[in-house]
Amino acid sequence: MNKVKVPDIIISRLPVYLRALQYMAANGSTTTSSQELGEKVGISAAQIRKDLSQFGEFGKQGTGYHIPFLIERLLQILKVEHVWDVVLVGMGELGNAILRYQGFENRGFRIVACFDNDPAKIGTKVADFTIDDAKNITEKVRAMGIKMAMLCVPASTAQDITDKLVEAGVKGVLNYAPVSLTVPSDVRLQYIHPVIGLQRMAYYLLAK
Amino acid sequence: MNKVKVPDIIISRLPVYLRALQYMAANGSTTTSSQELGEKVGISAAQIRKDLSQFGEFGKQGTGYHIPFLIERLLQILKVEHVWDVVLVGMGELGNAILRYQGFENRGFRIVACFDNDPAKIGTKVADFTIDDAKNITEKVRAMGIKMAMLCVPASTAQDITDKLVEAGVKGVLNYAPVSLTVPSDVRLQYIHPVIGLQRMAYYLLAK
């Protein structure tokens, strides 16, 4: 099975399936169907079956999916059976909201360090974290072996911080800063910004 | 040109191209190439040419793209030449950060109302907005004719608020709540959550 060939649009839906399945499991369900899952996530049953078929056989015609098995397989496929260490950079309101969010760890991620360049913030505590000086970011991130970063800094400093993270060995950057960034080809960059999401929806709202 | 047939993955990249082009324009550039644009956004030149070719001819071999023209066309394609009114629901830290963010309006969106169900927040001001009581959401959103919503409420209330927004005529919901939601088929639902972004990246980080 050559995973690199699975279209990115399918990969992008797997976390949504996983979340819905985990929610069902938490509510005591043990089986589901592509129809039921589809209704929960707003994606057609046929699309769900097609997406999952990229990774092998998950369900039987007529009996549906065994939820714990499907969750386990999706965790494996997405490589989140184990917890990834993540660095958070930029401790403004958004960074604070993310740092206080409790839902990362049981879904495969754990924030282990946070940085800012504001002297008024450096050394202060947010939740259980002490904000570290951004000037130490390369050496600390490298020393901790962190491979993933969330970037909540202003647009003006985003590329500089990204360069430092890449230098430190980070291979995945989730970018909240409202700016396009350049990374080497072996680094995965993903944009997460409300305007991007809104513009993508606007296309559909008047397209019909 | 049947826009409905353009794959969603292409639509999802257009806002990223648009942002990079607007950035170049703001810095005084008037022409670019698929190579240059590709370097800025981390997408191959061939992919950019293929994506844009879905919507007609934008550049000439050897002379590249005229940036103002390409921006104008992308604004048209994404239906953001005019400003969309948006309602924001849930005024926790994330809602506050979004409400204070200055970058919506010049990119096609304007927050016009915000709601919460916390009596301590209702009636207070954030930036230039007064937080309205969520129990009035259906009538107010309908009266204002708002078609787009950003949802920053806890998972436990997200479906209830979504139902009310849909009843009020909202056709696009950008969901920050960490839960899968159900909407009618004529409503566009988009998830925006760091775990989704991180899980999607994790797939690639170990896949090679």
Side-chain angles (χ1 to χ4, degrees):
Chain A
M1 176 167 57
N2 186 346
K3 281 166 182 158
V4 177
K5 288 193 177 171
V6 177
D8 181 59
I9 186 68
I10 293 180
I11 303 305
S12 77
R13 286 191 287 259
L14 299 184
V16 178
Y17 302 157
L18 176 59
R19 177 164 66 183
L21 291 162
Q22 287 174 323
Y23 187 78
M24 288 188 225
N27 284 303
S29 300
T30 54
T31 59
T32 188
S33 62
S34 51
Q35 285 76 15
E36 185 187 41
L37 183 56
E39 282 165 21
K40 289 208 187 296
V41 299
I43 294 169
S44 76
Q47 183 70 63
I48 289 173
R49 287 194 299 270
K50 195 174 157 198
D51 286 356
L52 294 178
S53 72
Q54 300 273 335
F55 305 95
E57 282 294 320
F58 289 103
K60 291 195 191 99
Q61 192 76 32
T63 63
Y65 299 112
H66 183 55
I67 292 175
F69 173 71
L70 187 49
I71 288 174
E72 192 184 342
R73 280 293 292 130
L74 286 173
L75 289 171
Q76 287 168 355
I77 291 166
L78 288 168
K79 314 284 167 26
V80 288
E81 329 93 286
H82 305 297
V83 174
W84 289 81
D85 288 347
V86 179
V87 55
L88 177 63
V89 193
M91 291 307 300
E93 279 185 285
L94 177 63
N96 268 276
I98 290 173
L99 196 55
R100 290 174 196 277
Y101 177 67
Q102 303 292 315
F104 286 112
E105 194 144 355
N106 59 4
R107 300 181 60 201
F109 305 93
R110 169 177 63 190
I111 296 172
V112 294
C114 59
F115 292 88
D116 201 289
N117 64 359
D118 179 353
K121 291 178 183 164
I122 294 164
T124 64
K125 289 197 87 171
V126 177
D128 288 336
F129 297 88
T130 302
I131 300 175
D132 214 329
D133 190 338
K135 77 169 189 236
N136 305 321
I137 197 165
T138 306
E139 68 181 272
K140 293 217 174 173
V141 168
R142 185 188 287 129
M144 295 175 80
I146 303 171
K147 298 297 173 202
M148 286 200 150
M150 286 189 276
L151 209 58
C152 306
V153 300
S156 56
T157 57
Q159 184 65 56
D160 178 53
I161 293 290
T162 300
D163 293 345
K164 287 176 174 157
L165 290 168
V166 168
E167 191 189 336
V170 165
K171 296 295 181 192
V173 177
L174 187 64
N175 176 33
Y176 282 88
V179 64
S180 295
L181 299 174
T182 305
V183 292
S185 61
D186 67 330
V187 176
R188 189 85 194 168
L189 172 66
Q190 182 147 343
Y191 295 97
I192 180 166
H193 192 276
V195 168
I196 301 275
L198 291 170
Q199 288 184 343
R200 183 173 168 183
M201 287 201 300
Y203 172 83
Y204 292 97
L205 298 204
L206 286 183
K208 56 188 73 170
Chain B
M1 176 167 58
N2 186 346
K3 282 169 181 157
V4 176
K5 290 192 175 169
V6 176
D8 182 58
I9 186 68
I10 293 179
I11 303 305
S12 77
R13 286 191 288 257
L14 300 185
V16 178
Y17 301 158
L18 176 58
R19 177 164 65 184
L21 291 162
Q22 288 174 324
Y23 187 79
M24 287 188 225
N27 284 304
S29 301
T30 55
T31 58
T32 188
S33 62
S34 52
Q35 284 76 13
E36 186 187 41
L37 182 57
E39 282 165 23
K40 291 210 185 297
V41 299
I43 293 169
S44 76
Q47 185 68 62
I48 289 172
R49 288 194 299 270
K50 194 174 157 198
D51 287 356
L52 294 179
S53 72
Q54 300 273 334
F55 304 97
E57 282 293 321
F58 288 104
K60 292 195 191 97
Q61 192 74 34
T63 62
Y65 299 112
H66 183 55
I67 292 174
F69 173 71
L70 187 50
I71 288 174
E72 192 185 342
R73 283 292 293 128
L74 286 173
L75 289 171
Q76 286 168 357
I77 291 165
L78 289 168
K79 313 286 168 24
V80 288
E81 328 92 289
H82 305 297
V83 175
W84 289 80
D85 288 348
V86 179
V87 54
L88 177 64
V89 193
M91 293 305 301
E93 278 184 286
L94 177 62
N96 268 276
I98 290 173
L99 197 55
R100 290 175 197 276
Y101 177 66
Q102 304 290 316
F104 286 112
E105 195 143 355
N106 60 4
R107 298 181 61 200
F109 305 93
R110 169 177 64 188
I111 295 172
V112 294
C114 60
F115 294 87
D116 201 290
N117 65 359
D118 180 352
K121 290 177 185 166
I122 294 165
T124 64
K125 289 197 86 169
V126 176
D128 289 335
F129 297 88
T130 301
I131 300 176
D132 213 329
D133 189 338
K135 77 168 188 237
N136 305 321
I137 196 166
T138 307
E139 67 181 274
K140 293 217 173 175
V141 168
R142 185 188 286 129
M144 295 177 81
I146 302 171
K147 299 297 174 204
M148 287 200 150
M150 284 190 276
L151 209 59
C152 306
V153 301
S156 56
T157 58
Q159 185 65 56
D160 178 53
I161 292 289
T162 300
D163 293 345
K164 288 176 174 156
L165 290 169
V166 168
E167 191 189 335
V170 165
K171 297 295 181 192
V173 177
L174 187 65
N175 177 34
Y176 282 89
V179 62
S180 295
L181 300 173
T182 305
V183 292
S185 61
D186 68 331
V187 175
R188 188 88 194 167
L189 173 66
Q190 183 149 341
Y191 296 97
I192 180 167
H193 192 278
V195 168
I196 301 274
L198 291 170
Q199 287 184 344
R200 183 173 169 184
M201 286 201 300
Y203 172 83
Y204 292 97
L205 298 203
L206 286 184
K208 58 187 73 170

